[in-house]
């Protein structure tokens, strides 16, 4: 019985970072998303891109399909950017009409593409880690109405995706998939799915509003319940993240993240010691979720081997 119970625990074991206190999770994602949007230095971009994809794979188990899709987006943004930005000294080739396609604009496009994919990937893991109850725990007492609205908005994308897949699967069984028929029929099938999603969302909003009204929402002071405890591990993680974020911010002010792509490429290199320290701390900060998951998995394997 004991062995069976242990196996069941392993089967349902969650990600170690997801089990941390909501404040720890939220601060990590605020740091990852804000720095991911601000830093354009190649070392920081590559670090963020790789570590976000690694953690996505850790959470999802198989991220090959996702990586293929993100690779397409990366290539598309990288190649399209020089079509609109013609600045740069090194012209790779010239389009008909004399419009140059420059190396500097291509590098800038790659930086923007890496930033875009990184933000999408961190946001995808955010939806897995920061559940609605965690978000309400963090901000429910400060701004109850705003927290509720934001929670509902953040739930729209995954809910719409699941419902769209269900509707598309049902229509595929009767031969009305968006993959079947002529181009006109494919468009009609797609519009039918969108129409069904819209009707479902409106009906769900009415039902939710009636349910909230019948339960007395807004008629009195709200109370909250939570089972989260700010333990020793959370204190250590929070302190570590604050230290790492502080060093990264100092690095940014000291020029460790400076980079210019247009019209000339100037990148803060290894001669700037702050760049090295900043990159090391940045990698350490973004590695926290993956490192915790790997450590938890290794610990479990060791304990299981002793049974």
């Amino acid at each position: 019985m004991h062995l069976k119970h242990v196996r069941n625990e392993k089967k349902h074991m969650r990600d170690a970072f997801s089990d941390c206190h909501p404040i720890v999770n939220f601060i990590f994602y605020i740091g990852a998303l804000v720095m991911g949007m601000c830093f354009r230095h190649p070392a920081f971009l590559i670090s963020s891109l790789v570590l976000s994809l690694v953690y996505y794979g850790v959470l999802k188990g198989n991220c090959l399909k996702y990586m293929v899709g993100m690779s397409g987006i990366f290539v598309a943004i990288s190649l399209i950017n020089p079509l609109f930005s013609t600045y740069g000294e090194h012209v790779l080739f010239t389009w008909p009409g004399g419009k140059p396609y420059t190396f500097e604009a291509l590098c800038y496009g790659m930086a923007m593409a890496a930033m875009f994919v990184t933000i999408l990937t961190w946001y995808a893991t955010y939806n897995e880690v920061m559940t609605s109850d965690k978000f309400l725990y963090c901000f429910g007492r400060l701004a109850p109405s705003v927290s509720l609205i934001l929670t509902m908005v953040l739930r729209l994308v995954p809910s719409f995706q699941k419902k769209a897949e269900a509707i598309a699967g049902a229509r595929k069984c009767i031969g009305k998939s968006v993959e079947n028929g002529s181009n006109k029929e494919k468009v009609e099938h797609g519009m039918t799915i969108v129409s069904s999603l819209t009707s479902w969302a409106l009906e769900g909003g009415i039902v939710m509003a009636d349910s909230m009204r019948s339960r007395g929402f807004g008629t009195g002071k709200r109370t909250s319940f939570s089972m989260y405890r700010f333990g020793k591990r959370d204190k250590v993680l929070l302190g570590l993240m604050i230290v790492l974020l502080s060093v990264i911010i100092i690095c940014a002010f000291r020029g460790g993240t400076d980079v210019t792509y247009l019209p000339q490429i100037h990148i803060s290199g290894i001669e700037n010691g702050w760049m090295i320290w900043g990159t090391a701390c940045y990698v350490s900060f973004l590695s926290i979720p993956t490192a915790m998951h790997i450590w938890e998995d290794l610990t479990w394997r060791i304990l299981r081997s002793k049974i």
Side-chain angles (χ1 to χ4, degrees):
M1 288 295 294
H2 176 69
L3 180 58
K4 183 178 180 181
H5 176 69
V6 171
R7 287 177 177 174
N8 289 334
E9 286 185 352
K10 171 59 179 176
K11 183 178 179 180
H12 300 287
M13 188 177 66
R14 296 183 57 196
D15 173 56
F17 184 68
S18 300
D19 292 332
C20 293
H21 196 272
I23 296 296
V24 176
N25 296 145
F26 186 75
I27 290 179
F28 171 82
Y29 277 105
I30 287 295
L33 291 172
V34 171
M35 291 188 297
M37 291 185 290
C38 294
F39 296 156
R40 301 179 183 179
H41 193 285
F44 289 80
L45 286 175
I46 294 173
S47 301
S48 184
L49 179 62
V50 171
L51 292 172
S52 63
L53 290 173
V54 169
Y55 187 52
Y56 182 90
V58 166
L59 284 178
K60 297 292 187 178
N62 184 10
C63 63
L64 180 61
K65 184 177 180 180
Y66 178 84
M67 291 184 65
V68 171
M70 291 298 104
S71 298
I73 295 176
F74 178 86
V75 173
I77 296 176
S78 301
L79 296 179
I80 290 175
N81 181 75
L83 300 178
F84 299 95
S85 177
T86 58
Y87 294 103
E89 294 184 342
H90 300 84
V91 179
L92 299 178
F93 57 88
T94 303
W95 290 100
K99 192 173 183 179
Y101 193 96
T102 64
F103 175 75
E104 288 78 7
L106 178 62
C107 292
Y108 184 74
M110 294 174 64
M112 294 298 100
M115 183 185 301
F116 183 75
V117 173
T118 297
I119 297 303
L120 286 181
T121 307
W122 281 128
Y123 182 74
T125 62
Y126 173 90
N127 287 328
E128 295 289 333
V129 176
M130 281 295 295
T131 55
S132 57
D133 58 322
K134 288 184 176 182
F135 189 86
L136 285 175
Y137 173 83
C138 293
F139 300 99
R141 296 181 181 179
L142 297 177
S145 299
V146 175
S147 300
L148 179 61
I149 293 174
L150 289 177
T151 302
M152 294 172 64
V153 170
L154 292 174
R155 289 180 64 247
L156 285 178
V157 175
S159 298
F160 266 60
Q161 184 178 2
K162 293 179 180 178
K163 191 64 177 181
E165 292 175 354
I167 297 174
R171 291 183 60 81
K172 186 176 182 179
C173 294
I174 60 176
K176 293 186 177 181
S177 170
V178 293
E179 301 174 356
N180 299 332
S182 62
N183 292 333
K184 181 180 179 181
E185 291 175 338
K186 291 179 180 179
V187 173
E188 291 177 351
H189 295 331
M191 293 303 297
T192 302
I193 294 176
V194 173
S195 176
S196 301
L197 277 175
T198 304
S199 301
W200 169 77
L202 293 175
E203 182 181 356
I206 295 173
V207 172
M208 182 180 295
D210 291 339
S211 176
M212 293 171 65
R213 188 181 299 109
S214 64
R215 294 170 184 268
F217 179 80
T219 58
K221 185 177 180 181
R222 290 187 59 186
T223 58
S224 59
F225 170 78
S226 66
M227 299 179 62
Y228 302 111
R229 294 183 58 188
F230 199 78
K232 181 178 179 181
R233 181 183 65 172
D234 301 310
K235 295 178 181 178
V236 173
L237 282 175
L238 183 60
L240 177 62
M241 287 194 296
I242 291 175
V243 172
L244 293 175
L245 286 173
S246 300
V247 176
I248 296 171
I249 293 173
I250 294 174
C251 161
F253 280 105
R254 292 285 185 174
T257 61
D258 291 349
V259 60
T260 302
Y261 292 98
L262 301 173
Q264 294 180 338
I265 297 179
H266 296 288
I267 301 175
S268 178
I270 58 176
E271 69 278 357
N272 188 335
W274 284 106
M275 191 280 291
I276 300 176
W277 278 102
T279 304
C281 292
Y282 193 59
V283 171
S284 300
F285 178 82
L286 298 181
S287 300
I288 290 176
T290 306
M292 290 185 63
H293 186 93
I294 295 175
W295 177 259
E296 192 82 6
D297 186 65
L298 289 175
T299 303
W300 166 255
R301 292 178 183 275
I302 294 173
L303 292 176
R304 189 176 61 176
S305 65
K306 296 180 179 179
I307 297 177

